[in-house]
Amino acid sequence: MTNLLSNISPMSYLDFDALPTSAVILSPDDIDQAAEISNQIFDESKQWQAYLNCLALSAFEQWLEERAEGLTINREKCTILQPALANFINSVANLQVGEFKVCLIATGSLSDEIVSLPRVVVDLPEFIPHFYVLVEVLEEQEAANVYAFLPYQELRESVQITSLQSDWNYQLPISCFDENPDRLLLYLRCLEPSAISLPAIPTNRSAILANIQNQLVELLPQLQSPRRELSEVLTWEQASAVFTNPELLNWLYTLQKQNIATENVEMGSAKPESPGYFASLQDLIKLITQPALNAGRWLWDELDDLALSLSWVLLPSFADASEMRPIRSPEEEFEVIVTQLRQRGLEIPVQARGAYQDFLLAGIPLRMYAVTWHLVSESGKPEWSLLLILGAPALSSLPSNIKFRVSDQTGILDERGLNAESEDSYIFTRVVGNWDEKFLVSVSLMDDVEVTLPPFAFDLGR
């Protein structure tokens, strides 16, 4: 962790001998884990809060285990354990305790009697908990105290009379919180989750993102420096679209990570020079917002409704094309290409199935073949393979300046053009992903002349 020890300041007005009787003692492993996780936060000014958040999580889990053995704790979706979320959310949201969602608010001192709550855990249903729990971390004493809690509906009443700061944090008096945490244990044991009504997650998140995608493509690259706050660049409506689409937070986190790895960026610096930033972001938003073709249906000799509406044509089962008739159809053309690929060592199993679509790019007729089959990885996890072949009808020549790009939610996977040293009249690439991964294919002649096909997904369900 960068200069963590040098940043330590007195964290409590309590002396070691005056630790509360309810204090939880933190283990060396807790402290080491907190240092390791907080080191994944790029902005040094936020590392300390992340460190406190990690310690608060360890202390709260221990506190529950000692007092309520029957309650199950699930930290799988906890924001502090996901670097891309922890980098932008200064609390421990989405901690599951039994059937309740809990958000931990960690503080190093209660002396100012004001609690700061990030707006994201107050106004966005994806992160709103049943209970907000205030944890005082006594770092110097290697201890923490589960101090107070506040149910969501009571928070909403309190927020009506509190101010929202320019950095998207609500300021609440500590007097709003119930300082008897034993009552929280009672609620967690006996209360029905339905007794605390949480707002429903809107079903139009993708549509909202689609409406502002051009704004985000322009603005998000400006956040390449981790020292720039989202509130400096985005409106709250724009930031809400980012927070509620974790793929965008992952993209932004990766952007900052790459930036730090290559240079030290001053606050207020220019946008990234590489057009790859914009292309990968545009592709990501399309993956999130556009409906996907289900290539898994091809293995059942079926096309889904989207593929049918876009005039995709299912290809027949694979066969060895050692003896070919004169090429008259896309199916025969495809068999020639597949034979060539197999001769080069590309393995295409006989159970693979494919389809094709003809389309125009700047008036030029093109044809996209897509072939899929399922795999089993070394770990035993099911995967799927997608072979993509870009050509022109009747094996005519492709334009020399054509480009072929494939992306997933992590970024651009492959970008290819025609090989000047090859006599091929087509471009191909193959990608592999888990069953829940999607791929986006774009074909372009120049930066402003591009066709993007609907994403490809894989679902064997019918």
Side-chain angles (χ1 to χ4, degrees), residues 330-349:
E331 292 80 6
E332 293 170 335
E333 172 188 298
F334 179 64
E335 289 181 0
V336 171
I337 297 174
V338 167
T339 298
Q340 294 173 356
L341 293 178
R342 282 174 167 164
Q343 289 172 349
R344 297 179 188 181
L346 181 61
E347 295 183 6
I348 305 175

Side-chain angles (χ1 to χ4, degrees), residues 248-287:
L248 289 178
L249 284 180
N250 288 328
W251 182 91
L252 193 52
Y253 180 80
T254 301
L255 174 68
Q256 295 184 352
K257 184 176 182 179
Q258 292 173 343
N259 178 71
I260 288 178
T262 55
E263 61 179 334
N264 292 323
V265 178
E266 298 297 331
M267 186 177 294
S269 63
K271 299 178 184 179
E273 297 179 358
S274 171
Y277 285 113
F278 297 94
S280 66
L281 180 56
Q282 288 173 325
D283 288 352
L284 174 59
I285 293 177
K286 291 173 182 176
L287 277 167

Side-chain angles (χ1 to χ4, degrees), residues 57-324:
L57 174 59
S58 297
F60 183 72
E61 288 179 316
Q62 183 178 335
W63 182 79
L64 276 180
E65 289 171 358
E66 293 175 352
R67 292 163 174 78
E69 295 182 0
L71 289 175
T72 58
I73 306 171
N74 187 343
R75 52 158 59 187
E76 181 180 350
K77 297 181 180 180
C78 199
T79 55
I80 191 60
L81 302 181
Q82 303 176 62
L85 294 176
N87 199 46
F88 301 102
I89 300 177
N90 293 327
S91 63
V92 185
N94 289 348
L95 177 63
Q96 195 77 25
V97 180
E99 297 183 39
F100 292 95
K101 290 175 63 178
V102 172
C103 178
L104 305 181
I105 308 299
T107 180
S109 174
L110 299 173
S111 58
D112 58 7
E113 297 187 351
I114 294 294
V115 179
S116 181
L117 271 71
R119 185 177 184 180
V120 65
V121 300
V122 175
D123 290 346
L124 296 183
E126 286 84 349
F127 302 97
I128 292 175
H130 295 89
F131 298 104
Y132 300 86
V133 180
L134 182 59
V135 182
E136 182 186 24
V137 180
L138 312 172
E139 196 276 336
E140 285 192 333
Q141 292 93 330
E142 298 183 354
N145 181 32
V146 178
Y147 184 80
F149 74 100
L150 183 63
Y152 169 70
Q153 72 270 23
E154 294 183 20
L155 172 97
R156 291 308 312 175
E157 296 171 1
S158 301
V159 164
Q160 302 301 321
I161 58 173
T162 59
S163 59
L164 178 65
Q165 303 299 308
S166 59
D167 60 353
W168 296 341
N169 283 286
Y170 287 103
Q171 305 297 317
L172 270 71
I174 198 172
S175 58
C176 294
F177 286 74
D178 186 331
E179 297 182 14
N180 183 2
D182 287 338
R183 191 174 289 117
L184 171 63
L185 292 174
L186 179 63
Y187 290 158
L188 292 174
R189 286 195 188 103
C190 304
L191 196 66
E192 290 293 331
S194 57
I196 301 177
S197 179
L198 300 183
I201 297 176
T203 58
N204 63 338
R205 291 297 196 202
S206 293
I208 293 173
L209 176 59
N211 288 336
I212 62 171
Q213 59 181 312
N214 292 335
Q215 301 170 30
L216 293 179
V217 168
E218 177 182 355
L219 295 173
L220 287 183
Q222 298 179 28
L223 292 162
Q224 60 173 321
S225 169
R227 288 177 287 277
R228 294 203 74 179
E229 298 288 345
L230 267 65
S231 57
E232 298 177 40
V233 176
L234 306 178
T235 65
W236 174 248
E237 289 71 22
Q238 293 165 343
S240 297
V242 175
F243 280 121
T244 55
N245 288 279
E247 300 93 342
L248 289 178
L249 284 180
N250 288 328
W251 182 91
L252 193 52
Y253 180 80
T254 301
L255 174 68
Q256 295 184 352
K257 184 176 182 179
Q258 292 173 343
N259 178 71
I260 288 178
T262 55
E263 61 179 334
N264 292 323
V265 178
E266 298 297 331
M267 186 177 294
S269 63
K271 299 178 184 179
E273 297 179 358
S274 171
Y277 285 113
F278 297 94
S280 66
L281 180 56
Q282 288 173 325
D283 288 352
L284 174 59
I285 293 177
K286 291 173 182 176
L287 277 167
I288 297 172
T289 59
Q290 293 185 0
L293 298 170
N294 182 9
R297 293 277 293 273
W298 302 351
L299 301 181
W300 301 105
D301 293 326
E302 297 175 351
L303 292 172
D304 63 7
D305 291 340
L306 179 59
L308 289 170
S309 70
L310 296 173
S311 301
W312 279 82
V313 179
L314 195 65
L315 290 162
S317 301
F318 277 76
D320 189 356
S322 57
E323 297 183 5
M324 291 299 303

